[in-house]
């Protein structure tokens, strides 16, 4: 368990560099990430490189005993490059160029930018591969930040046409897959294919979903290009920093090319931008919502099923949320422990010193604008001592898994059908209810090996192919228990209706798995809560309801809505396990009751927790974390506000 910081030597006078490095070491930091936006200073004019300042800075950091994560600077193409090759610019959905003056203003599909990327990454990798301070690489910075995955320019269109040709081979196959017979949308050749923007009304969702896949692949291929070049010169691990809500590319696929997954955790900023209800935002405005942060920790652990890093951890206020409250005292320390409790190896803060100019000047650092320590520094100092006496702990496999999938997110969010629909929110509601029941949850991809889990929750498994249906059936036959949420089994991978009246191997495999057919669907208005009855009690649901017809399953619950009756929850048993189909998006009260029933049936220990108290197990040790301004009781004793209790004896040696 180590600490680090993001540092921009190019922002500060050289006189401060050595002192900065010494102070970093004194604070207990071991890692420093640098360089990711520095192209303009590394190559101020075409082919006139100036690596001297970065050499000096890396030397100083290395001499102080720090390890460097060196970022490739491709998130910020410099002005001369943009003026010389303006075709690199990204184009937004409205057809406007996203121009120079901030960052991420390039398209992954620009041949010019791919060439320039290869050149600068190769120069950097060759130059620093053997620098003694180099510990790891970071490719680019936050793919997808500022909505930068989908670009709608000339090069993007050509690349999309090629992608479609490689996928479908013949245009008739594409027309069939997209159901282009509708509204005369048939194409006669791949070079006719348009991008799904600037249409009169919404574009065809099959077209859009393929464009989303293509755009995700483009970002992943661009990242792979960088990784391959770096690996030619260096054997140091390669990372990239992903982030919550930058979800226009498939993080599971990106992870395959990386050695280390890192993510950028801004608990207060993320909460402000999340779809969580306003009262919760107010309640947690100084601590962040515990589950919002840990959901991402668990997802990013799940990308490779191995420890991740937090590359950027909020150290104070951010500058980019609608409101930017100060974190409560103690939260920087608590977030750091929370990350380690969910399997992080390194937590690194953004940034060392607050910028005195430009877009992020209202963003806090470990140090203030004037270079004096800000209050997070005190908390980091405390962590330095705490981490020294913490034993090395690793994550236990959980008994419960939650399945998460980007394609299902894209497909359902493309056609929400109910105003409040958001795949992410449904997945989060499931996670939140389980965490509120004090259960550890692993987040996995639907096609992953599920055998280790006693119970698997799958919100909105919308897009189905035969392989997936069979994979899930094998899990259930072998004794697995699967709970499938609303909007599942509705579509083929082409985003067309699966149950189209023609028996197909996929439809049979899906019906074999679930034993149901969806008879009707209801897309509710916001704030409408209808009733269902389960075990002789009424509960509420909102946003979505699938009304089931039973083929080979039994009913567990029924709707009690004035406009329809019918089955709300159905169960099909398999050789040693079962599938439960949950047709509606339940309120928290229903999820708590129903999930707790499912956990009890599998003898999985659980208990209801306060919204602000969380329990996590690491190496069979318990962490209790208090995200409130009140003292909270826990089995390990009372927890002061924004503090934690651990059953690790040595942890308390500090207090003696
Ligand atoms: C991150 C980004 C950083 C910085 C930070 C501010 O999303 O990677 O470069 O902008 O936000 O909170």
């Amino acid at each position: 368990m180590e600490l680090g910081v993001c540092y921009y030597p190019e922002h500060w006078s050289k006189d401060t560099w050595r002192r900065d490095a010494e102070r970093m070491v004194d604070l207990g930091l071991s890692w420093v990430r640098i360089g990711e936006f520095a192209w303009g200073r590394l190559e101020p004019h075409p082919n006139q490189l100036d690596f001297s300042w970065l050499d000096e800075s890396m030397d100083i950091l290395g001499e102080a005993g720090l390890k460097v994560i060196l970022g490739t600077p491709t998130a910020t193409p410099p002005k001369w490059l943009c003026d010389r090759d303006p075709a690199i610019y990204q184009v937004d959905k409205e057809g406007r160029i996203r121009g120079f003056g901030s960052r991420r203003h390039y398209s992954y599909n620009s041949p010019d930018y791919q060439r320039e990327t290869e050149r600068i990454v190769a120069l950097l990798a060759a130059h620093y591969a053997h620098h003694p301070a180099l510990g790891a690489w970071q490719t680019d910075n936050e793919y997808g930040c500022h909505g930068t995955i989908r670009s709608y320019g000339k090069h993007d269109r050509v690349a999309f046409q090629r992608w479609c040709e490689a996928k479908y081979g013949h245009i008739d196959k594409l027309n069939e897959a997209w159901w282009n017979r509708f509204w005369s949308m048939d194409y006669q050749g791949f070079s006719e294919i348009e991008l799904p923007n600037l249409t009169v009304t919404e574009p065809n969702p099959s077209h859009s979903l393929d464009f989303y896949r293509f755009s995700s692949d483009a970002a992943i291929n661009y990242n792979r290009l960088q990784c391959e070049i770096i690996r030619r010169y260096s054997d140091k691990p390669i990372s990239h920093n992903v982030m919550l809500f930058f979800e226009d590319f498939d993080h599971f696929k990106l992870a395959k090319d990386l050695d280390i997954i890192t993510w950028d955790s801004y608990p207060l900023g993320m909460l402000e931008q999340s779809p969580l209800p306003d009262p919760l935002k107010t309640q947690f405005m100084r601590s962040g919502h515990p589950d919002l942060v840990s959901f991402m920790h668990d997802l990013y652990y799940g990308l490779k099923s191995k420890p991740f890093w937090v590359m950027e951890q909020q150290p104070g206020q951010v500058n980019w949320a609608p409101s930017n409250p100060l974190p409560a005292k103690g939260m920087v320390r608590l977030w750091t422990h929370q990350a380690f409790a969910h399997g992080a190896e390194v937590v690194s803060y953004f940034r060392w010193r607050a910028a005195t100019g430009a877009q992020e000047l209202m963003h806090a650092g470990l140090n203030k604008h004037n270079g004096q320590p800000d209050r997070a520094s005190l908390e980091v100092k405390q962590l330095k001592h705490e981490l020294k006496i913490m034993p090395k702990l690793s994550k236990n496999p959980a008994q419960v898994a939650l399945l998460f999938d980007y394609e299902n997110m894209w497909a359902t969010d493309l056609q929400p059908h109910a105003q409040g629909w958001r795949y992410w929110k449904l997945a989060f509601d499931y996670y939140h209810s389980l965490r509120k029941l004090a259960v550890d949850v692993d987040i996995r991809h639907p096609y992953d090996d599920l055998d280790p889990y006693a119970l698997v929750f799958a919100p909105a498994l919308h897009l189905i192919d035969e392989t997936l249906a069979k994979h899930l059936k094998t899990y259930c036959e072998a004794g697995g228990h699967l709970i499938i949420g609303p909007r599942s089994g509705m579509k083929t991978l082409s985003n067309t209706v699966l149950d189209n009246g023609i028996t197909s191997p996929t439809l049979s495999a899906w019906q074999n798995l679930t034993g149901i057919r969806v008879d009707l669907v209801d897309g509710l208005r916001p704030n409408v809560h209808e009733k269902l009855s389960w075990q002789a009690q009424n509960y509420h649901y909102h946003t979505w309801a699938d009304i089931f017809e039973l083929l080979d399953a039994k009913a567990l619950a029924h709707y009690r809505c004035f406009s329809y009756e019918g089955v709300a929850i159905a169960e099909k048993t398999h050789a040693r396990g079962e599938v439960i189909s949950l047709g509606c998006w339940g309120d928290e009260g229903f999820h708590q009751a129903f999930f707790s029933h499912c956990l009890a049936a599998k003898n999985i220990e659980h208990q209801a927790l306060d919204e602000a108290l969380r329990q996590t197990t690491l190496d069979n040790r318990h962490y209790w974390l208090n995200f409130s301004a009140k003292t909270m009781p826990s089995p390990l004793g009372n927890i002061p506000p924004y503090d934690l209790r651990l059953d690790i004896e040595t942890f308390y040696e500090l207090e003696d």
Side-chain angles (χ1 to χ4, degrees):
M1 287 184 250
E2 293 181 298
L3 302 175
V5 73
C6 304
Y7 182 50
Y8 300 93
E10 71 275 25
H11 294 180
W12 312 107
S13 139
K14 277 190 187 172
D15 313 340
T16 59
W17 291 359
R18 199 164 288 279
R19 177 89 189 103
D20 281 345
E22 287 162 7
R23 287 179 57 216
M24 288 173 193
V25 173
D26 189 48
L27 260 192
L29 309 181
S30 332
W31 288 92
V32 185
R33 186 197 64 184
I34 62 175
E36 80 278 11
F37 299 122
W39 196 338
R41 292 283 164 125
L42 292 170
E43 191 178 20
H45 305 283
N47 297 312
Q48 285 183 25
L49 297 166
D50 178 9
F51 287 3
S52 61
W53 64 268
L54 187 55
D55 293 347
E56 201 179 325
S57 163
M58 297 239 324
D59 291 348
I60 290 174
L61 294 167
E63 281 156 22
L66 293 155
K67 294 172 276 188
V68 168
I69 306 134
L70 184 57
T72 64
T74 48
T76 48
K79 186 69 166 70
W80 60 259
L81 196 160
C82 301
D83 287 349
R84 192 193 63 193
D85 302 323
I88 72 159
Y89 282 128
Q90 211 176 106
V91 176
D92 75 6
K93 208 173 174 184
E94 312 307 322
R96 294 170 303 210
I97 284 179
R98 304 188 80 185
F100 187 84
S102 64
R103 61 179 172 182
R104 305 212 54 73
H105 39 283
Y106 69 87
S107 160
Y108 304 103
N109 300 306
S110 153
D112 287 339
Y113 202 58
Q114 289 166 1
R115 184 199 64 233
E116 287 302 302
T117 296
E118 284 181 39
R119 189 180 60 81
I120 193 71
V121 173
L123 286 167
L124 211 68
H127 191 85
Y128 290 105
H130 303 292
H131 193 287
L134 182 75
W137 294 93
Q138 175 180 295
T139 52
D140 203 285
N141 189 75
E142 283 187 352
Y143 297 126
C145 178
H146 315 305
T148 50
I149 295 295
R150 297 172 193 152
S151 175
Y152 298 81
K154 213 172 62 194
H155 293 301
D156 305 305
R157 182 173 171 215
V158 172
F160 180 49
Q161 291 169 344
R162 287 205 195 111
W163 184 93
C164 290
E165 187 160 10
K167 176 165 178 177
Y168 293 102
H170 197 286
I171 197 68
D172 292 350
K173 277 203 176 161
L174 176 142
N175 285 324
E176 183 59 29
W178 292 3
W179 228 67
N180 275 346
R181 66 192 82 163
F182 190 71
W183 286 352
S184 275
M185 291 186 296
D186 283 315
Y187 292 113
Q188 302 308 326
F190 288 99
S191 61
E192 288 183 2
I193 296 173
E194 300 282 356
L195 295 177
N197 67 327
L198 300 175
T199 48
V200 173
T201 183
E202 61 178 310
N204 178 345
S206 298
H207 182 180
S208 294
L209 182 60
D210 264 347
F211 178 68
Y212 288 8
R213 289 180 175 129
F214 150 79
S215 304
S216 170
D217 286 356
I220 288 160
N221 291 341
Y222 177 79
N223 180 66
R224 186 174 309 130
L225 176 80
Q226 296 212 9
C227 294
E228 283 170 359
I229 296 168
I230 294 171
R231 288 196 178 106
R232 254 179 248 152
Y233 298 94
S234 168
D235 56 5
K236 296 290 183 207
I238 304 178
S239 67
H240 175 78
N241 52 339
V242 292
M243 188 164 158
L244 171 65
F245 302 139
F246 300 163
E247 55 208 11
D248 294 346
F249 64 102
D250 189 328
H251 295 191
F252 285 97
K253 279 192 185 165
L254 181 90
K256 293 194 169 57
D257 293 311
L258 299 171
D259 302 304
I260 307 169
I261 298 301
T262 77
W263 83 282
D264 297 342
S265 174
Y266 291 92
L268 304 194
M270 293 180 328
L271 175 65
E272 286 293 333
Q273 291 196 335
S274 75
L276 296 191
D278 215 54
L280 270 191
K281 289 188 182 176
T282 306
Q283 183 184 348
F284 289 102
M285 71 179 214
R286 297 199 189 281
S287 64
H289 192 282
D291 300 335
L292 187 60
V293 180
S294 63
F295 184 52
M296 303 325 288
H297 289 324
D298 289 341
L299 172 63
Y300 295 137
Y301 190 100
L303 294 189
K304 285 185 99 66
S305 268
K306 66 180 230 199
F308 61 94
W309 296 15
V310 174
M311 186 56 82
E312 300 179 15
Q313 162 73 71
Q314 175 169 1
Q317 280 167 323
V318 299
N319 63 301
W320 43 263
S323 306
N324 295 290
L326 269 178
K329 266 193 189 158
M331 277 319 300
V332 172
R333 167 177 172 257
L334 194 65
W335 289 327
T336 308
H337 279 299
Q338 185 188 16
F340 290 132
H342 284 264
E345 250 171 9
V346 174
V347 175
S348 151
Y349 303 95
F350 182 90
R351 47 186 281 154
W352 173 246
R353 177 173 166 187
T356 54
Q359 283 90 329
E360 294 187 346
L361 64 79
M362 292 300 290
H363 197 295
L366 292 181
N367 294 286
K368 297 180 181 166
H369 292 113
N370 61 11
Q372 297 301 310
D374 208 336
R375 63 189 198 172
S377 281
L378 290 176
E379 296 180 34
V380 176
K381 197 137 210 182
Q382 185 179 349
L383 282 159
K384 165 186 170 180
H385 299 299
E386 288 173 347
L387 295 185
K388 266 194 202 143
I389 53 168
M390 292 270 286
K392 187 168 169 18
L393 302 174
S394 37
K395 199 165 142 67
N396 298 341
Q399 288 179 281
V400 175
L402 177 79
L403 304 187
F404 191 85
D405 174 51
Y406 290 87
E407 294 205 359
N408 281 305
M409 174 184 321
W410 304 333
T412 54
D413 290 358
L414 258 170
Q415 284 189 305
H417 204 66
Q419 212 181 311
W421 176 269
R422 192 159 161 191
Y423 173 94
W424 181 89
K425 179 67 169 57
L426 177 69
F428 177 78
D429 276 9
Y430 278 34
Y431 178 84
H432 169 58
S433 284
L434 290 164
R435 293 292 297 142
K436 216 173 156 173
L437 290 167
V439 174
D440 287 318
V441 181
D442 283 355
I443 301 186
R444 306 306 306 266
H445 190 267
Y447 290 87
D448 281 346
D449 174 17
L450 304 176
D451 287 351
Y453 302 104
L455 207 53
V456 171
F457 290 81
L461 273 182
H462 195 60
L463 305 170
I464 303 300
D465 69 353
E466 196 185 348
T467 313
L468 180 65
K470 288 190 166 162
H471 166 63
L472 297 175
K473 186 152 178 263
T474 307
Y475 165 71
C476 294
E477 277 170 349
H481 303 275
L482 177 65
I483 292 153
I484 303 179
R487 298 194 76 173
S488 294
M490 162 102 201
K491 303 260 193 74
T492 66
L493 298 191
S494 300
N495 215 8
T496 55
V497 171
L498 173 62
D499 190 0
N500 62 358
I502 303 166
T503 309
S504 67
T506 305
L507 180 63
S508 309
W510 181 254
Q511 292 183 341
N512 233 303
L513 172 74
T514 59
I516 52 152
R517 166 182 295 143
V518 175
D519 184 31
L520 293 167
V521 301
D522 192 19
L524 284 86
R525 298 201 72 249
N527 304 318
V528 173
H529 295 255
E530 299 281 14
K531 272 192 220 131
L532 80 157
S533 98
W534 170 63
Q535 294 194 332
Q537 281 220 34
N538 282 339
Y539 295 90
H540 287 95
Y541 63 93
H542 60 90
T543 310
W544 196 275
D546 290 329
I547 298 111
F548 297 139
E549 177 192 332
L550 302 176
L551 301 174
D552 175 23
K554 70 171 190 225
L556 297 187
H558 289 87
Y559 291 110
R560 295 281 178 255
C561 169
F562 187 71
S563 303
Y564 49 84
E565 312 79 47
V567 177
I569 307 179
E571 179 185 48
K572 166 152 180 174
T573 47
H574 288 274
R576 297 174 57 210
E578 85 229 340
V579 174
I580 293 177
S581 297
L582 191 55
C584 54
W585 187 333
D587 281 1
E588 189 174 319
F590 171 69
H591 282 162
Q592 289 282 305
F594 191 72
F595 291 2
S596 134
H597 165 85
C598 299
L599 292 162
K602 303 299 156 247
N603 296 319
I604 298 173
E605 248 181 72
H606 60 285
Q607 59 178 297
L609 298 179
D610 185 277
E611 188 78 23
L613 184 69
R614 285 295 175 267
Q615 192 270 158
T616 297
T617 317
L618 197 63
D619 256 346
N620 301 316
R621 320 278 191 136
H622 299 289
Y623 278 67
W624 286 87
L625 298 99
N626 177 2
F627 288 80
S628 80
K630 288 186 283 188
T631 297
M632 288 264 187
S634 87
L636 300 177
N638 283 342
I639 319 178
Y642 307 114
D643 205 336
L644 75 163
R645 284 288 171 266
L646 309 178
D647 57 359
I648 299 170
E649 306 74 44
T650 50
F651 190 74
Y652 298 99
E653 282 172 11
L654 278 180
E655 290 175 3
D656 296 337

